[in-house]
Amino acid sequence: MLLNRVLVSAIPIVAQFLAVCPAFVEGRQSRNLDVLGQISGHHHGTQYASQSDNYKNNSDSPRFAEEIQNVTVSKGRNAMLACIVDNLRNYKVAWVRVDTQTILSIHHTVITQNPRISLTYNDHRTWYLHIQKVEETDRGWYMCQVNTDPMRSRQGYVQVVVPPSIITKETSTDMVVREGSNVTLTCKATGYPEPYVMWRREDGKKINYNGESVDFVDGEVLHIIKISRLHMGTYMCIASNDVPPRVSQHISLRVQFPPMLTIPNQLEAAYIGQDVTLECQTEAYPISINYWTTEHGDMIISGNYRSITGDKYEAVSTDNDYNKYMMLKIRNVGPKDFGSYKCVAQNSLGSTDGDIRLDEIPAPSTTSTTPLPYYVTSSMKKHGRNSNKKLQRPIDYEVEEWRDPGRYVARLHIKQLRLPFRVIPVYVPGPVGG
């Protein structure tokens, strides 16, 4: 909302005040003729004084103790400008909006009809101009005048900054496109200063842009040529202008393509009674319907074809974006389970399938860990070297032997070893199976 433009002759209180203080008239004319011409060529944020400041200072005359500090404020906040005048005595202070030539206040009285403008003062020295809930239209130069002859003044700039915001009606929404087409995403933002706009992937992955792999793309427009499934994901349009907070818009980009599949092992082998697993990987968008069939075309569903050990088949699939992993587990493989199995994927754009063959292999041989039975067939006594019957000695050893189909085994147990002792191995062929 523009500040009300108040003409001097239109308000009685201003006219009455100017009659008493004619210097304001001269000051107003000087401002209109000279000051406004100077400001039109200046950048904001710099302090300016009227031409009257070039006059020789008089120690008894009012003088500005310091420059009016520029103010930067976010839209919706409150702003305040301070004008400090020493030795004011009976002179008066006024605030004026330069660009609209609007008188805001004269000494203790607020002139403008803008309800957001107010005035406070302290010890007849410091004069504060308050602007409540600042709007963008409040951005500009403000002048503090003293009605000396000639008029003296100082100026301060109110900079109104605006956090960025996304212009929804001018920004792209979620898109679904065919693979190989060209895609343009647009993001419009407003704010002051003008926002900087960039694009990122929400998942943090790099963007394949114009043949390069980049972390982000600058600008309001993201143009992708010959889009592929690798571009699929959610993109963030981020706008910032150093005025917090920065804002973002999420745009989902989906790429349609018919199913394709990969089979890690096209040939599997198992023996009777073994469990075996078949694997298949597919890619498709829209997400495909996946299933397994036998070589006779029968669809396999978990829980069908029950056997003694439980469910014969277990079909499992897991999704990851446009990827799907399929697994078929066949329990307790039997003679009828050998043959071809088909992995099938279908969506609205087409279908595909692949074969996996399951062949039979011989079962591995088993090794028995049960000790063979043995039988003690003879016991032998041995005495010392002297065959004196008076020297009876206990049995020093005994022989064990046992038979098994195809072999004959004998074992010698030495109960008490007496030195000297020598063992001479002797091969004695024995009857086999006798």
Side-chain angles (χ1 to χ4, degrees):
M1 180 179 67
L2 294 175
L3 296 175
N4 296 326
R5 181 173 179 177
V6 181
L7 299 178
V8 175
S9 60
I11 302 178
I13 186 171
V14 178
Q16 181 180 0
F17 182 80
L18 294 178
V20 178
C21 306
F24 268 117
V25 177
E26 179 183 351
R28 177 67 176 272
Q29 294 172 347
S30 174
R31 171 173 59 81
N32 291 340
L33 295 176
D34 300 322
V35 177
L36 290 177
Q38 295 175 11
I39 290 178
S40 62
H42 292 308
H43 295 289
H44 67 74
T46 306
Q47 301 289 344
Y48 302 102
S50 67
Q51 290 182 341
S52 62
D53 292 326
N54 296 326
Y55 284 82
K56 183 178 180 180
N57 290 328
N58 188 326
S59 60
D60 294 333
S61 299
R63 60 183 178 275
F64 293 98
E66 58 186 61
E67 301 291 344
I68 298 176
Q69 298 300 313
N70 297 332
V71 174
T72 298
V73 61
S74 295
K75 181 181 177 181
R77 303 277 186 170
N78 299 333
M80 182 181 70
L81 295 172
C83 180
I84 304 175
V85 184
D86 287 337
N87 198 31
L88 184 59
R89 298 188 297 171
N90 292 327
Y91 290 95
K92 309 298 180 183
V93 175
W95 281 100
V96 178
R97 174 73 185 265
V98 175
D99 54 356
T100 61
Q101 303 181 32
T102 304
I103 298 175
L104 304 177
S105 68
I106 298 178
H107 213 51
H108 300 161
T109 305
V110 175
I111 302 301
T112 178
Q113 300 299 310
N114 187 340
R116 296 184 295 106
I117 300 293
S118 61
L119 180 73
T120 60
Y121 43 88
N122 184 20
D123 297 333
H124 202 64
R125 181 175 182 266
T126 305
W127 303 81
Y128 298 101
L129 179 68
H130 301 271
I131 308 175
Q132 306 293 324
K133 297 181 180 179
V134 169
E135 299 177 357
E136 289 193 70
T137 53
D138 297 322
R139 185 185 297 120
W141 289 100
Y142 294 79
M143 178 184 291
C144 176
Q145 294 183 355
V146 179
N147 64 333
T148 55
D149 187 12
M151 178 271 293
R152 295 184 178 183
S153 66
R154 288 289 187 273
Q155 297 180 57
Y157 193 87
V158 174
Q159 176 62 280
V160 181
V161 295
V162 183
S165 62
I166 303 294
I167 306 175
T168 304
K169 64 181 180 180
E170 298 183 31
T171 298
S172 300
T173 56
D174 295 347
M175 301 180 66
V176 179
V177 297
R178 287 295 297 267
E179 191 170 39
S181 61
N182 297 335
V183 176
T184 299
L185 301 180
T186 304
C187 180
K188 294 289 185 179
T190 184
Y192 192 90
E194 183 179 356
Y196 156 72
V197 177
M198 61 177 291
W199 295 88
R200 285 186 182 274
R201 283 187 64 123
E202 186 182 48
D203 55 13
K205 295 180 181 179
K206 292 183 179 294
I207 301 175
N208 186 3
Y209 187 70
N210 291 337
E212 297 182 3
S213 184
V214 298
D215 292 319
F216 62 90
V217 177
D218 292 326
E220 296 179 339
V221 176
L222 176 63
H223 187 62
I224 303 175
I225 299 175
K226 292 184 178 179
I227 195 168
S228 74
R229 66 198 67 180
L230 299 178
H231 290 103
M232 188 181 302
T234 300
Y235 291 78
M236 292 192 305
C237 156
I238 304 171
S240 60
N241 63 352
D242 295 328
V243 182
R246 70 176 188 175
V247 294
S248 63
Q249 181 84 3
H250 294 242
I251 301 172
S252 174
L253 180 60
R254 296 295 167 188
V255 181
Q256 291 183 328
F257 59 96
M260 61 175 294
L261 62 81
T262 303
I263 298 176
N265 298 304
Q266 291 182 301
L267 180 62
E268 295 283 356
Y271 55 84
I272 300 295
Q274 185 185 4
D275 292 350
V276 68
T277 299
L278 311 182
E279 296 178 314
C280 179
Q281 299 173 356
T282 67
E283 297 179 4
Y285 191 85
I287 299 299
S288 59
I289 299 173
N290 292 24
Y291 56 91
W292 296 88
T293 66
T294 66
E295 62 183 354
H296 303 295
D298 298 327
M299 183 180 296
I300 297 175
I301 303 175
S302 294
N304 283 7
Y305 311 103
R306 298 186 63 84
S307 64
I308 297 175
T309 58
D311 293 343
K312 185 68 175 179
Y313 298 102
E314 179 184 358
V316 178
S317 65
T318 56
D319 296 344
N320 181 15
D321 203 6
Y322 57 83
N323 296 282
K324 181 173 287 191
Y325 168 77
M326 298 175 60
M327 180 194 75
L328 176 63
K329 185 174 184 179
I330 307 174
R331 295 189 178 95
N332 193 22
V333 172
K336 295 182 179 180
D337 295 323
F338 297 109
S340 295
Y341 292 84
K342 184 168 292 186
C343 166
V344 183
Q346 297 177 338
N347 71 1
S348 58
L349 302 179
S351 64
T352 187
D353 57 61
D355 291 324
I356 302 176
R357 182 167 184 80
L358 178 61
D359 287 343
E360 181 181 2
I361 57 175
S365 60
T366 58
T367 302
S368 174
T369 59
T370 304
L372 293 172
Y374 63 89
Y375 306 92
V376 178
T377 58
S378 64
S379 294
M380 300 177 62
K381 297 180 181 180
K382 183 172 177 61
H383 303 285
R385 295 179 182 177
N386 297 326
S387 57
N388 191 342
K389 295 181 179 180
K390 294 182 179 179
L391 298 175
Q392 296 291 332
R393 297 187 178 182
I395 299 174
D396 295 320
Y397 60 87
E398 65 180 21
V399 177
E400 298 175 351
E401 60 181 359
W402 64 88
R403 291 178 175 83
D404 192 56
R407 64 176 179 168
Y408 171 83
V409 180
R411 178 179 296 170
L412 175 67
H413 291 272
I414 302 173
K415 295 183 177 180
Q416 185 174 359
L417 182 63
R418 299 179 185 275
L419 298 177
F421 187 87
R422 184 172 62 175
V423 177
I424 300 175
V426 178
Y427 173 74
V428 179
V432 177

